Amino acid sequence: MSSRLVQAFARFLPGYLRWSHSHPGREGLSYPRFRLLGVLHCRGPRIMSELSGELGVTARNVTALVDALEAEKLVERRSHPTDRRATVVALTNRGARTCATFWEQNLGAMSELFEELSERDQKDLLRLLERLMSGLLERGFLDDVPAEEAPREDRETRA
């Protein structure tokens, strides 16, 4: 049964991501760029190596993404307050507005697929996903950030 679940998730996730990202409001941003903005929007400023780990991409890819977003004035690089070797990436005001506008306009549309499930099934799915996320957290593959945590731009940078 568990191998069938792996196969089902492998089929579901790419389709869901394509569907959820087909909604308007990303202002012409590629999925990787928008994903980086989303991390900064939800988690606050990050050092480059943290972004690499959180996005699951190489440091070189993060640099290219940040370069492009910086050129669009959506993010900015800052000096780390205590580590001269680290560079902090933060949303600009324009980047924060872009993210906030997207979430306000699209959260309902992105969640509409789940309306195909009854309220009880939605609660069961949420409970099961939270259990799986706990397993990923215990194994070090997921950061300890509650899903219901509201996005904030003013979080302190983790050192």
Side-chain angles (χ1 to χ4, degrees):
M1 178 59 87
S2 58
S3 63
R4 285 183 59 203
L5 286 168
V6 169
Q7 291 171 345
F9 266 91
R11 283 191 67 208
F12 174 78
L13 187 58
Y16 177 74
L17 290 174
R18 280 193 306 273
W19 175 78
S20 67
H21 289 77
S22 68
H23 293 52
R26 284 196 4 227
E27 311 220 351
L29 293 170
S30 69
Y31 174 66
R33 288 182 192 177
F34 193 76
R35 202 166 148 230
L36 189 148
L37 289 176
V39 167
L40 296 175
H41 184 66
C42 292
R43 309 279 315 277
R46 308 298 276 171
I47 61 173
M48 299 279 275
S49 61
E50 286 177 332
L51 285 170
S52 178
E54 289 181 56
L55 298 172
V57 299
T58 65
R60 174 179 272 178
N61 286 347
V62 170
T63 299
L65 292 170
V66 170
D67 286 347
L69 291 169
E70 193 173 40
E72 295 176 39
K73 300 193 182 329
L74 296 173
V75 301
E76 63 185 4
R77 287 178 168 97
R78 299 177 184 164
S79 299
H80 192 281
T82 59
D83 185 349
R84 292 186 339 206
R85 299 167 295 164
T87 300
V88 176
V89 180
L91 288 175
T92 61
N93 289 334
R94 180 179 176 190
R97 283 192 309 272
T98 297
C99 290
T101 299
F102 174 80
W103 287 116
E104 288 171 14
Q105 293 176 349
N106 293 290
L107 188 57
M110 288 172 31
S111 61
E112 92 181 16
L113 180 65
F114 295 104
E115 293 173 7
E116 295 195 21
L117 302 174
S118 69
E119 186 173 337
R120 179 177 174 87
D121 285 346
Q122 288 181 36
K123 287 179 182 179
D124 286 343
L125 179 58
L126 184 58
R127 178 182 55 80
L128 294 169
L129 287 172
E130 287 173 347
R131 187 168 175 184
L132 291 173
M133 287 187 290
S134 290
L136 290 174
L137 179 64
E138 289 170 9
R139 290 167 175 83
F141 290 98
L142 191 67
D143 288 328
D144 188 14
V145 176
E148 66 276 359
E149 189 171 275
R152 290 182 42 196
E153 294 79 39
D154 60 346
R155 285 211 178 86
E156 293 297 316
T157 303
R158 291 183 348 201

